[in-house]
Amino acid sequence: MYGFGNAISEGKTLVPYGAMLSAARYFGSMAHSVEPFGSKEFSMESAFILAEKPMLEILAQVRSGLPAAMFEQVAATLGLSTSTLAAKLGIARRTVTRKRGNGAPLSSETSEKLLRVARVRNLGRVLFTTDEAVSEWLSKPESALGDMAPLDLLDTDLGAREVENLLRALAYGHFA
């Protein structure tokens, strides 16, 4: 079982909710050392920065579709392969690869799922000091989530809300 107590015993840093609110103010200008993704000729905004923007600004970009390269950015940041992240979100890996290859944007549904993961990662980074620690937490079964790994719940909005609620509860010091 990998819960809140294990995070402390394994040396992962957890931050009180007040510090979480302070850290959230920085998300508009920085996403915990995630650089813009792409080459010098092409640079795009980080999915992690976009996930923290106002809903109406995000909505317009989701409806028009996010760049497929953002999918790879999120997967790489969490130390996952594109195939693994696609499978966890119920998305065909070949679709992501094809869209990346021909420069087509992701569908609005895939874009929304991707921003869900980015939003959860951002919440996780407030509690854990590294993306590796966030990825480890996302991958381990959590008793408060019915012994499911948080990552396995991010394919739906309802599941993502449960994961976000758990992260907030951990930040407040309330344990399920």
Side-chain angles (χ1 to χ4, degrees):
M1 202 77 41
Y2 185 85
F4 185 78
N6 289 345
I8 293 171
S9 66
E10 292 176 12
K12 293 177 178 62
T13 302
L14 297 167
V15 180
Y17 186 71
M20 182 170 141
L21 290 176
S22 297
R25 292 185 189 117
Y26 297 114
F27 283 133
S29 61
M30 122 181 140
H32 294 289
S33 72
V34 173
E35 298 296 321
F37 192 76
S39 65
K40 289 184 179 185
E41 305 86 41
F42 173 73
S43 179
M44 69 177 184
E45 181 173 44
S46 165
F48 306 108
I49 292 172
L50 180 61
E52 297 301 324
K53 290 195 172 186
M55 188 269 308
L56 291 177
E57 190 175 331
I58 295 170
L59 187 59
Q61 291 188 43
V62 166
R63 284 182 173 157
S64 61
L66 299 176
M70 275 191 181
F71 198 93
E72 294 169 350
Q73 174 199 37
V74 171
T77 298
L78 292 174
L80 302 170
S81 68
T82 302
S83 297
T84 299
L85 183 58
K88 295 291 185 182
L89 297 179
I91 299 164
R93 178 199 53 81
R94 286 189 45 87
T95 299
V96 175
T97 303
R98 185 181 72 252
K99 288 185 180 275
R100 173 71 195 261
N102 66 20
L106 299 170
S107 69
S108 59
E109 180 183 345
T110 299
S111 296
E112 190 171 13
K113 287 181 178 185
L114 184 62
L115 285 182
R116 254 185 235 148
V117 176
R119 192 174 61 239
V120 166
R121 177 269 186 183
N122 287 348
L123 277 172
R125 274 307 299 268
V126 171
L127 294 171
F128 301 101
T129 57
T130 66
D131 286 324
E132 182 180 82
V134 172
S135 183
E136 184 178 334
W137 183 82
L138 286 171
S139 300
K140 303 262 180 161
E142 180 60 57
S143 60
L145 298 172
D147 289 324
M148 294 184 70
L151 188 58
D152 292 333
L153 298 173
L154 299 182
D155 61 326
T156 66
D157 185 55
L158 292 174
R161 281 192 228 166
E162 285 301 308
V163 172
E164 290 173 353
N165 288 340
L166 177 58
L167 285 167
R168 287 185 186 102
L170 291 172
Y172 273 116
H174 301 297
F175 313 111

